[in-house]
Amino acid sequence: METDVDRGDYIDPRAAKTPLRAIAQMWLDTRNVDPSSAIRYESLWRLHVGPEFGRRSVGSIRPSQIEAFLTRLSREYGKSTAAGAYLVLQGILGYAVADGLIKVSPAKAGTVTKPRSDTGPKLVAWSDDQAEAVIAAHPADQRLIAVLMAATGLRIGEVLALAVDDFDFEQHVLHVRRQLKKLGPDHVWALPKNDRERQVPLGTWADWSDAAGQDPLPLADRRFVRALPPLLRADLEAGADSCRYHPATRS
């Protein structure tokens, strides 16, 4: 103990008796994330992490117990749930380390396998003919959605959140400043994926605004979210992603 004190590494054993649920509440309250992420973190804690470890003292949690917990979650609920639960648990334990309640996080032990989310089936970008057919199949007032996804690679929520000021035709770039996300029965504005704004080149396909039959407008104001085109609505995950991956095949 004297050596730890001399090095400044001493941890008061009483601090390690703090219930994990007390640390979890502080961690959840201090997350600077968009509303949908905050709801997901709270749900993962309430449904999975809390029932397993919430009543435990933070110093009593062992790597072997975390590994068994994640293995069970992956088997019963899927890899994505296990990966989310790990993110929440590791975040809370990291908070405890930073506050001097424990010396190291048991979630970072070499024996704990960090879960990976399901990647789903391999996506295949559409050909020019497929992309053109999808664009042509859209109603005229919604055609710009597919044009922009095929031209820029934006996600559906990012396209739906575009405004006139986001288009810079002089520099030939598009400013991606926000996205539209579903939050329960409502839709909310949020930062783009990874909470970072970015710029993307408009590319030659952006000239298809003529083909879309409209000028760039604030798309979300037209409530396109509640009236997604049939071809995207039928297979939103694979269809929309295949559409937005199309630009990569044109380089």
Side-chain angles (χ1 to χ4, degrees), residues 42-144:
E42 189 279 331
S43 176
L44 287 164
W45 165 259
R46 175 169 43 83
L47 297 177
H48 302 294
V49 181
E52 185 77 17
F53 297 111
R55 295 176 180 269
R56 299 273 300 276
S57 63
V58 64
S60 71
I61 300 172
R62 299 289 177 259
S64 59
Q65 297 165 342
I66 295 175
E67 178 73 6
F69 167 66
L70 296 174
T71 299
R72 177 177 60 80
L73 276 189
S74 182
R75 182 176 62 250
E76 296 179 2
Y77 297 97
K79 294 180 181 179
S80 294
T81 297
Y86 176 84
L87 184 153
V88 170
L89 179 57
Q90 166 51 24
I92 296 167
L93 292 171
Y95 207 77
V97 172
D99 274 0
L101 304 180
I102 53 176
K103 187 177 295 187
V104 296
S105 169
K108 287 192 172 182
T111 55
V112 176
T113 303
K114 183 179 178 180
R116 302 291 181 183
S117 298
D118 293 317
T119 57
K122 182 179 179 180
L123 293 172
V124 179
W126 286 341
S127 66
D128 286 358
D129 289 344
Q130 288 174 308
E132 291 170 11
V134 168
I135 291 170
H138 281 60
D141 65 344
Q142 299 177 15
R143 199 166 294 153
L144 190 56

Side-chain angles (χ1 to χ4, degrees), residues 116-196:
R116 302 291 181 183
S117 298
D118 293 317
T119 57
K122 182 179 179 180
L123 293 172
V124 179
W126 286 341
S127 66
D128 286 358
D129 289 344
Q130 288 174 308
E132 291 170 11
V134 168
I135 291 170
H138 281 60
D141 65 344
Q142 299 177 15
R143 199 166 294 153
L144 190 56
I145 295 175
V147 170
L148 287 170
M149 292 181 70
T152 65
L154 265 63
R155 296 169 175 82
I156 184 68
E158 294 170 340
V159 171
L160 295 173
L162 288 173
V164 170
D165 291 343
D166 297 327
F167 291 83
D168 186 341
F169 290 108
E170 291 185 2
Q171 299 297 321
H172 225 236
V173 297
L174 185 61
H175 299 278
V176 185
R177 298 184 170 108
R178 69 195 75 78
Q179 64 175 315
L180 199 61
K181 300 185 75 172
K182 185 172 175 58
L183 185 63
D186 302 315
H187 293 87
V188 298
W189 301 115
L191 286 170
K193 188 171 182 179
N194 298 323
D195 295 332
R196 295 177 61 183

